[in-house]
Amino acid sequence: MEEHLYDELLVELECPICTNYMSPPIRQCATGHSVCETCRKKLPKCALCQGKFTESRNISLEGLAVKMRYPCINKPAGCMAKLSFTERETHELRCPLKGFKCAMDKCSWVGKLEDLAAHWASKKTSSKPYHKSNVCHTKMKAESYYVNIVEAYNKLFWFKCKLTKNKLFWAVQYIGSAKEADGFSYEIEIFKPGRSKKKITMSDYCQGIDLENQELFSEEACVSINVDSVSSFVTGEQILIYYLRVNMVQEEKLMQPVALLQQEVKSAKSDTVKHRDRSKGPPTPGHKVNKKKAASATNKPQYKQKNDGFDKQKNDGFVLL
């Protein structure tokens, strides 16, 4: 009986527009219909009565919302967790039964992470899955959208490219939580075949999978460039060629600039030969000068680094695939 009553109270907290559970702030129209904050921002007027929205909030429902325990959104997949409204977002991002959507347009598939690669293979696309280093070809067609799956470091990513409003956007999304996405970055290197020194390189951190394309394809969330800036790289067939590289961020192994400078200063001090100030007279009996070390420090020959063919190829910025 108590369980049935609890379920009926939860129904009262369902948004009539998107059917998700409402949490503070809960908005109202002039008639009194309540909607969630997300739907309120999207709608110019109430979808139920066509009335105007007011600035008032449903305080009674908000008070109920903070006391309730909500089922996980993955309950149909078997998750039995009961969560407060403040716990829902964190849990649902990491829920082991979370369903992941296919990134291809007009594909309604939602499934487990371990089934995603097999689903993508069933699409039978002409492009094979990418790895951590790839040569990509993008057709410069207005208002186009391209997506492929990336397998790197035993993880899965979505690679997305969009050309819209005379601007190119590239984004890589880690298929997992946003926090884990910060452990990976990606790089776009546009180049001109046969002219190795002519290139444009851009990079950014990977985004989490929960960022929708509307937010993803923005200058704040991914790398982008004006089409006019890459016109000299486009081939006669209107194809743009570039490298895509997915990298693992290992910040704990990278020395900060200040620490590096301190080490260089410390190293320089240890290698410097201290000469006695002769203006102070003859050395005291306990003072000794290591002549051998001083001679080796002052007469040390300077060698020039060799620049063979391998180094030249490395400096050109190309990766052997």
Side-chain angles (χ1 to χ4, degrees), residues 136-146 161-164 166-170 190 225-242:
C136 307
H137 301 74
T138 293
K139 182 74 173 178
M140 300 296 287
K141 182 181 178 182
E143 302 304 318
S144 59
Y145 171 65
Y146 173 78
C161 176
K162 186 172 184 178
L163 198 165
T164 180
N166 206 41
K167 200 162 191 176
L168 263 171
F169 296 87
W170 291 277
I190 305 168
I225 195 169
N226 290 325
V227 171
D228 296 340
S229 299
V230 297
S231 59
S232 62
F233 293 88
V234 178
T235 66
E237 293 77 23
Q238 294 301 301
I239 300 291
L240 184 68
I241 305 174
Y242 53 92

Side-chain angles (χ1 to χ4, degrees), residues 208-260:
I209 193 61
D210 293 288
L211 202 62
E212 298 293 336
N213 282 0
Q214 186 176 357
E215 299 177 74
L216 181 66
F217 292 120
S218 64
E219 294 182 1
E220 295 78 18
C222 68
V223 298
S224 61
I225 195 169
N226 290 325
V227 171
D228 296 340
S229 299
V230 297
S231 59
S232 62
F233 293 88
V234 178
T235 66
E237 293 77 23
Q238 294 301 301
I239 300 291
L240 184 68
I241 305 174
Y242 53 92
Y243 287 117
L244 162 68
R245 302 185 185 98
V246 177
N247 304 308
M248 183 180 289
V249 179
Q250 296 177 324
E251 292 183 336
E252 68 278 4
K253 294 183 179 180
L254 297 178
M255 185 175 296
Q256 298 299 323
V258 174
L260 180 60

